[in-house]
């Protein structure tokens, strides 16, 4: 057997600190939200070394991805970053559609954009609310959750599930949205800026919150790139990189929005970047909902890649056969024998899937590039030299989602 | 895999490919592509040098992804494990996939820990799930599975439902608790 | 007895400062209306658990809003989310640390049966290793379902509770479904070696004094 955790948590050599002690933090701890474990080597209250121990939620997602077909696996990726489930679905099917070379219809692209941005708000609300909660500000969390409930209702209206809707399909969507849904999104958009302003008023000038965040866990631009940080965490450190702009997918090329960045790289910057990004997402949704193209949501049904709609399955023999072929174990899709990496800008950072295909309708290897996993590896670097109470601030600002971390 | 002869990399990648070919041991590397991915297949002996050079000279400063796949019984596969590095330049947005390989019984490749610190956990994950050893990694231990776990679950010869480890626990009764 | 098992004497306005009730019922009445949940939130269900605690669904209406993260202060373990190999010993340890009387809600498909995760790492139902009182279906369950589960548990407490916890005694064998260890041929089984130091197994745990195993 090679190295074990016991080797890793041994106190640093020759540090000369007399009153060193080791603190076990988690895996069941309120500030870790879910199942993370940290072993902290402390000198008094100062962290000398932090050793994360993860895997407490490792459930074999990627192994399952090798056994479920492209449409079935969407239910599993849903549960990956469960704070913004539809964003995962979009990322997964973006990779699958790149592999199968499917072009989406304009309407489908726009609906996916709206969902992706709703999920960004959904995710950032939890990230900011929970970050505040960990620092003792309970009210902001409740305000955030009220808005999240509205987004859950929007999800439910379109898909039938509050979250984990499994909404996307290869080349399309489970079903089209209706006018009531559009109305719901509009009324959400109307109320959101006020709620956002409420949270800002509670936190942005809150002395305690700022004192506990400012200058804590600073990540420089060089380190952010060196350590593969992406998304809001990297942008808070001055890395101007947003896949929606850099490698536009869906309909993002046509939409006008700004990439939010900061230079400070501390916990406060990460919080502020997230708060601002919500307003940008709001802007995107507001534009997209008014410019929602009409037409079908499923692209070119005739090439036997996309599930036909329910009516044609029930009322025509062609539709029935088509549906049957896409569900029979020995038919389904015939992707090229090749491999592809494609990624999207999920709320947490770059969420990519590297799919190796052997020509079967299941992936040979469905590798996830999980932003939480990479961001948590930053933690020892960020926490060093800070005090125990800063652990909660740093963890909250990184927004680690355990299911995505461990998969 | 698409046939390497038929593929010429896009204009934007020409300089990078030429640079990679200039590394010792890489002169015959295979360039292939699929959709918007450009792939270089680098022999494991030269992978570290090539990656180091790609970072320092071609500006590919972001290691986006590092992982592996088990190609046991994969159509036309030559090597058992393939390891890929997805690189990107923050400045220009150019993306490149570098692939290398390893084989049983002792799969090894050089660690890129010194080139990108971001490779730290990604290499540990590959070690944990595939059993590929990254030489030069200072802290190579299991990351997702328990330290005492004895198999590598993402290998193709490991069953989806495992070998009974998930039931190997003591059941608590009401009286005991 | 009135509906819900509340002693009759308590329901009426006490005259002359007296109430008449059996001690068992009185204790159960107190307990059921002040459940202190221990949120063992591992995954997605944890978010719905948070939603249940937040303002719209407001679990405080059922006297169960005092979430405590220390098992010593709790009497209701809500397992929300899948439990995997590495986490199970942790969960058992938390269960052992909770004082009697205590109950357990298995929230969601994954905790109850493994759900969609029939893989090498996920425990196929926590009830194989832990006594469970109420199961909540759904993936994840809606907050309303969790509230219903809390109410069902309140009923159960009122119905079966005793002041000394006699209802738990004599239940000596594990109550869940049989272990699936036999699903494989013995030659195929890898008995994971070692003692899982990083996530201690239940039988090597230090337990509370006076409890079995101490």
């Amino acid at each position: 057997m090679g190295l074990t955790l016991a080797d890793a948590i041994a106190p640093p050599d020759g540090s000369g600190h007399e009153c060193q002690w080791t603190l076990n933090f988690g895996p069941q701890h309120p500030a870790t939200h879910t199942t993370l474990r940290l072993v902290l080597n402390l000198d008094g209250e100062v962290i000398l070394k932090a050793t994360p121990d993860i895997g407490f939620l490792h459930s074999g997602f990627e192994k399952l991805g090798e056994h479920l077909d492209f449409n079935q696996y969407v239910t599993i990726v849903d549960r990956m970053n469960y704070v913004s489930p539809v964003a995962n679905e979009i990322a997964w099917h973006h990779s699958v559609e790149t592999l199968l070379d499917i072009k989406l219809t304009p309407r489908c692209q726009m609906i996916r954009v709206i969902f992706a941005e709703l999920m960004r708000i959904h995710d950032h609300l939890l990230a900011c609310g929970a970050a505040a909660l960990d620092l003792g500000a309970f009210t902001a969390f409740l305000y955030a959750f009220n808005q999240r409930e509205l987004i859950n209702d929007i999800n439910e209206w379109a898909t039938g599930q509050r979250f984990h809707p499994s909404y996307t399909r290869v080349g399309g969507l489970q079903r089209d949205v209706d006018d009531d849904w559009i109305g719901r999104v509009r009324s959400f958009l109307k109320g959101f800026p006020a709620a956002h302003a409420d949270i800002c008023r509670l936190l942005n000038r809150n002395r305690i919150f700022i004192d506990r965040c400012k200058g804590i866990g600073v990540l420089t631009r060089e380190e952010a790139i060196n350590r593969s940080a992406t998304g809001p965490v990297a942008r808070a450190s001055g890395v101007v990189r947003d896949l929606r702009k850099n490698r536009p997918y869906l309909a993002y090329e046509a939409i006008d929005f700004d990439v939010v960045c900061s230079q400070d790289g501390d916990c406060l910057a990460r919080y502020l970047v997230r708060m601002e990004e919500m307003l940008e997402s709001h802007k995107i949704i507001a534009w997209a909902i008014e410019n929602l193209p009409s037409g079908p949501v499923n692209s070119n049904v005739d090439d036997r890649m996309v599930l036909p709609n329910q009516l044609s399955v029930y009322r025509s023999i062609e539709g029935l056969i088509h549906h049957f072929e896409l569900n029979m174990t020995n038919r389904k899709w015939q992707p090229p024998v090749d491999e592809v990496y494609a990624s999207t800008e999920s709320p947490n950072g770059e969420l990519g899937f590297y799919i190796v295909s052997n020509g079967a309708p299941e992936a040979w290897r469905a590798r996830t590039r999980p932003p939480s996993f990479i961001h948590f590896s930053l933690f020892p670097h960020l926490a060093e030299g800070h005090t125990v109470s800063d652990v909660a601030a740093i963890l909250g600002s990184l927004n680690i989602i355990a299911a995505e971390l461990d998969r | 895999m698409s046939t390497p002869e038929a593929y010429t990399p896009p204009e934007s990648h020409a300089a990078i490919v030429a640079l990679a070919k200039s590394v010792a041991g890489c002169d015959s590397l295979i360039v292939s592509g699929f959709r918007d991915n450009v792939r270089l297949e680098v022999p494991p002996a030269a992978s570290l040098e090539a990656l180091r050079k790609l970072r320092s000279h071609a500006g590919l400063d972001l290691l986006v992804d590092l992982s592996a796949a088990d190609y046991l019984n994969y159509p036309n596969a030559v090597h058992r494990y393939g390891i890929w590095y997805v690189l990107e330049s923050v400045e220009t947005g150019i993306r490149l996939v570098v692939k290398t390989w390893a084989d049983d019984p002792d799969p090894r490749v050089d660690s890129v820990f010194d080139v990108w610190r971001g490779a730290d956990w990604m290499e540990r994950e590959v070690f944990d799930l595939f059993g590929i050893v990254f030489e030069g990694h200072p802290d190579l231990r299991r990351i997702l599975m328990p330290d005492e776990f004895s198999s590598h679950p993402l290998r193709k010869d490991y069953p989806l439902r495992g070998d009974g480890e998930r039931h190997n626990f003591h059941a608590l009764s009401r009286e005991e608790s | 007895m009135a509906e819900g098992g509340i002693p009759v004497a308590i329901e009426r306005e006490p005259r002359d400062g007296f109430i008449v009730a059996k001690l068992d019922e009185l204790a159960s009445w107190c307990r059921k209306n002040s459940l202190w949940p221990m949120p063992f939130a591992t995954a997605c269900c944890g978010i719905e658990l948070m939603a249940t605690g937040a303002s719209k669904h407001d679990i405080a209406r059922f006297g169960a809003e005092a979430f405590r993260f220390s098992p010593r202060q709790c009497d209701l373990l809500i397992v929300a989310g899948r439990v995997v190999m590495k986490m199970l010993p942790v969960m058992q340890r938390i269960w052992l640390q909770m004082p009697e009387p205590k109950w357990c809600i298995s929230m969601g498909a994954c905790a109850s049966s493994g759900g969609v995760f029939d893989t090498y790492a996920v425990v196929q139902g926590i009830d194989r290793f832990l006594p469970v009182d109420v199961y909540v279906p759904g993936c994840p369950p809606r907050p309303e379902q969790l509230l219903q589960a809390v109410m069902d548990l309140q009923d159960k407490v009122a119905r079966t509770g005793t002041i000394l916890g006699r209802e738990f005694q004599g239940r000596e064998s594990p109550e869940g479904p049989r272990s699936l260890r036999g699903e494989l041929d013995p030659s195929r089984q890898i008995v994971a070696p070692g003692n899982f130091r990083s996530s201690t197994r239940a039988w090597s745990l230090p337990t509370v004094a006076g409890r079995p195993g101490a």
Side-chain angles (χ1 to χ4, degrees):
Chain A
M1 203 197 309
L3 291 167
T4 62
L5 184 69
D7 304 320
I9 63 175
D13 285 335
S15 50
H17 294 277
E18 280 189 4
C19 44
Q20 261 197 41
W21 55 296
T22 306
L23 179 72
N24 184 48
F25 193 94
Q28 171 64 32
H29 186 280
T32 62
H33 296 296
T34 39
T35 52
L36 320 170
R37 180 176 172 214
L38 297 167
V39 183
L40 306 172
N41 289 99
L42 301 171
D43 176 19
E45 230 193 315
V46 179
I47 299 167
L48 298 176
K49 190 170 113 189
T51 314
D53 180 20
I54 64 171
F56 291 95
L57 200 55
H58 175 68
S59 0
F61 280 70
E62 289 176 11
K63 193 84 176 175
L64 264 177
E66 296 167 7
H67 291 81
L68 299 177
D69 76 30
F70 298 141
N71 269 344
Q72 291 168 337
Y73 190 51
V74 82
T75 56
I76 308 294
V77 294
D78 248 351
R79 284 144 183 85
M80 213 169 266
N81 180 347
Y82 44 73
V83 185
S84 52
V86 188
N88 306 336
E89 299 171 8
I90 291 169
W92 164 249
H93 274 145
H94 176 61
S95 297
V96 172
E97 283 148 10
T98 315
L99 177 74
L100 295 170
D101 201 17
I102 297 175
K103 290 269 168 297
L104 296 176
T105 63
R107 184 174 175 84
C108 174
Q109 289 190 348
M110 202 59 94
I111 294 174
R112 284 196 189 182
V113 165
I114 295 173
F115 265 100
E117 297 307 317
L118 281 173
M119 286 303 125
R120 198 178 309 281
I121 295 179
H122 203 241
D123 190 297
H124 287 353
L125 278 173
L126 184 98
C128 295
L133 177 66
D134 292 344
L135 301 181
F138 192 71
T139 322
F141 166 80
L142 293 176
Y143 278 48
F145 252 80
N146 271 343
Q147 294 300 306
R148 280 174 58 87
E149 284 292 333
L150 295 178
I151 297 178
N152 281 340
D153 288 347
I154 292 174
N155 273 351
E156 193 174 6
W157 196 264
T159 68
Q161 244 280 30
R162 272 162 62 83
F163 66 118
H164 297 344
S166 305
Y167 187 47
T168 61
R169 294 286 182 273
V170 175
L173 298 169
Q174 177 208 1
R175 66 177 86 162
D176 200 354
V177 296
D178 56 12
D179 289 341
D180 285 343
W181 180 82
I182 294 174
R184 273 166 184 261
V185 175
R186 283 204 183 111
S187 77
F188 167 75
L189 290 174
K190 216 168 154 193
F192 178 72
H196 183 272
D198 279 341
I199 300 174
C200 284
R201 268 202 298 276
L202 278 169
L203 297 177
N204 284 13
R205 292 175 59 227
N206 183 328
R207 199 69 258 163
I208 301 171
F209 183 72
I210 290 176
D211 281 352
R212 290 197 63 181
C213 287
K214 200 162 177 54
I216 303 297
V218 178
L219 182 68
T220 61
R221 184 174 188 276
E222 289 68 39
E223 279 300 311
I225 295 173
N226 191 17
R227 290 169 189 265
S228 305
T230 52
V233 174
R235 286 196 286 275
S237 299
V239 181
V240 189
R241 179 169 178 275
D242 188 324
L243 292 174
R244 292 174 293 172
K245 286 274 190 210
N246 293 16
R247 315 177 72 84
Y249 54 97
L250 297 179
Y252 281 113
E253 207 155 16
I255 302 175
D256 176 45
F257 66 98
D258 296 323
V259 177
V260 183
C261 288
S262 166
Q263 301 221 312
D264 299 348
D266 56 0
C267 292
L268 187 64
R270 289 192 276 275
Y271 158 78
L272 289 172
V273 164
R274 285 209 170 89
M275 290 301 278
E276 279 306 306
E277 271 190 10
M278 281 196 249
L279 292 181
E280 289 303 318
S281 296
H282 180 268
K283 200 163 93 185
I284 296 174
I285 303 169
W287 187 87
I289 201 86
E290 300 309 329
N291 292 282
L292 193 61
S294 53
V297 288
N298 285 345
S299 60
N300 202 5
V301 180
D302 294 335
D303 60 11
R304 302 276 158 111
M305 292 281 191
V306 184
L307 287 171
N309 73 19
Q310 196 181 16
L311 267 188
S312 84
V313 177
Y314 281 2
R315 299 200 180 157
S316 73
I317 187 70
E318 292 82 11
L320 185 67
I321 290 172
H322 178 180
H323 185 266
F324 193 55
E325 284 198 338
L326 275 181
N327 285 292
M328 246 162 67
T329 45
N330 56 349
R331 295 286 176 84
K332 303 186 183 175
W333 302 270
Q334 278 146 0
V337 182
D338 213 320
E339 42 196 81
V340 73
Y341 176 79
S343 56
T344 62
E345 183 76 26
S346 88
N348 240 353
E350 174 164 353
L351 178 63
F353 286 91
Y354 194 108
I355 303 178
V356 180
S357 162
N358 64 338
E362 301 90 19
W364 180 263
R365 168 95 167 92
R367 152 76 177 166
T368 320
R369 190 261 180 217
S372 288
F373 183 78
I374 316 261
H375 290 162
F376 198 39
S377 72
L378 298 170
F379 183 82
H381 171 66
L382 296 181
E384 227 170 76
H386 291 295
T387 58
V388 177
S389 58
D390 297 332
V391 168
I394 297 171
L395 274 181
S397 77
L398 290 177
N399 190 24
I400 311 295
I401 306 298
E404 189 183 60
L405 172 75
D406 296 339
R407 282 152 293 129
Chain B
M1 306 266 163
S2 52
T3 45
E5 295 80 35
Y7 183 78
T8 43
E11 198 89 330
S12 53
H13 289 70
I16 293 176
V17 173
L19 181 80
K21 281 190 176 170
S22 71
V23 176
C26 292
D27 37 0
S28 62
L29 60 80
I30 303 168
V31 186
S32 60
F34 182 66
R35 309 293 182 232
D36 64 341
N37 288 15
V38 180
R39 267 195 310 261
L40 302 182
E41 272 188 62
V42 180
S47 67
L48 179 61
E49 211 35 58
L51 287 163
R52 202 189 289 278
K53 201 156 188 186
L54 283 172
R55 167 156 198 183
S56 58
H57 289 68
L60 297 169
D61 45 4
L62 183 69
L63 177 68
V64 176
D65 189 22
L66 186 168
S67 196
D70 181 356
Y71 293 96
L72 184 71
N73 303 330
Y74 186 81
N76 305 326
V78 187
H79 304 285
R80 170 139 190 205
Y81 306 103
I83 298 113
W84 59 75
Y85 306 80
V86 182
L87 312 180
E88 194 176 310
S89 159
V90 174
E91 213 59 49
T92 59
I94 287 179
R95 187 178 274 178
L96 180 74
V97 181
V98 177
K99 279 201 75 169
T100 184
W101 62 83
D103 271 304
D104 275 343
D106 183 25
R108 273 171 193 280
V109 287
D110 287 330
S111 165
V112 294
F113 184 90
D114 294 333
V115 189
W116 290 278
R117 283 302 298 273
D120 183 356
W121 282 24
M122 299 195 233
E123 286 183 347
R124 278 177 64 190
E125 190 189 352
V126 173
F127 167 71
D128 189 358
L129 301 179
F130 290 96
I132 299 170
V133 175
F134 287 85
E135 261 171 298
H137 191 294
D139 188 25
L140 198 65
R141 52 194 168 85
R142 283 190 181 268
I143 186 164
L144 295 176
M145 307 306 291
D147 282 341
E148 296 84 0
F149 199 68
S150 56
S151 356
H152 300 289
L154 275 189
R155 286 190 179 179
K156 286 284 173 183
D157 48 12
Y158 184 84
L160 171 66
R161 295 191 171 79
D163 282 327
E165 298 93 332
R166 61 181 179 178
H167 301 301
N168 200 14
F169 295 96
H170 175 62
L172 283 175
S173 70
R174 263 290 183 182
E175 205 217 28
E176 264 179 288
S177 44
Chain C
M1 292 287 281
E3 202 184 332
I6 302 171
V8 174
I10 293 177
E11 256 200 350
R12 282 201 223 113
E13 198 181 331
R15 260 178 294 171
D16 311 325
F18 284 102
I19 49 170
V20 182
K22 282 198 232 161
L23 267 180
D24 281 352
E25 283 167 3
L26 193 64
S28 301
W29 179 73
C30 296
R31 281 172 187 159
K32 79 169 203 166
N33 288 310
S34 71
L35 290 168
W36 286 38
M38 160 85 209
F40 189 82
T42 56
C44 340
C45 292
I47 302 293
E48 286 296 54
L49 184 58
M50 282 157 92
T52 316
S55 29
K56 186 172 176 188
H57 298 285
D58 196 11
I59 201 173
R61 294 176 292 160
F62 306 93
E65 83 281 19
F67 285 94
R68 283 293 176 276
F69 292 90
S70 163
R72 304 279 186 207
Q73 302 172 349
C74 299
D75 55 4
L76 169 61
L77 179 70
I78 302 182
V79 181
R82 54 192 174 276
V83 176
V84 307
M85 247 170 66
K86 211 171 170 179
M87 198 64 180
L88 183 84
V90 179
M91 183 180 72
Q92 287 187 327
R93 187 170 189 152
I94 285 173
W95 174 253
L96 288 175
Q97 285 173 344
M98 286 167 58
E100 291 280 11
K102 58 191 170 187
W103 298 273
C104 175
I105 291 182
S106 160
M107 177 181 179
C110 298
S112 304
S113 71
V116 288
F117 296 100
D118 191 2
T119 64
Y120 54 91
V122 182
V123 169
Q124 300 296 297
I126 58 164
D127 53 358
R128 294 180 193 279
F129 305 105
L130 199 76
V132 173
D133 292 289
V134 181
Y135 301 84
V136 191
C139 190
R142 298 179 59 96
E144 292 91 330
Q145 281 174 279
L146 182 63
L147 293 177
Q148 180 64 47
V150 171
M151 284 153 68
D152 288 349
L153 186 70
Q154 288 180 335
D155 276 354
K156 181 171 180 174
V157 174
R159 221 173 41 245
T160 62
T162 53
I163 192 163
L164 295 174
R166 287 192 307 278
E167 76 269 28
F168 298 131
Q169 289 162 7
R171 290 155 75 177
E172 292 167 10
S173 51
E175 291 154 22
R178 213 166 46 83
S179 161
L180 281 177
R181 212 180 302 176
E183 73 181 347
L184 286 171
D185 180 69
S187 63
R188 289 275 296 135
Q189 283 181 30
I190 296 176
V191 178
N195 59 355
F196 286 87
R197 261 173 309 159
S198 49
S199 47
T200 345
R201 284 181 178 194
W203 58 76
S204 61
L205 290 178
T207 43
V208 186
R211 294 269 174 74

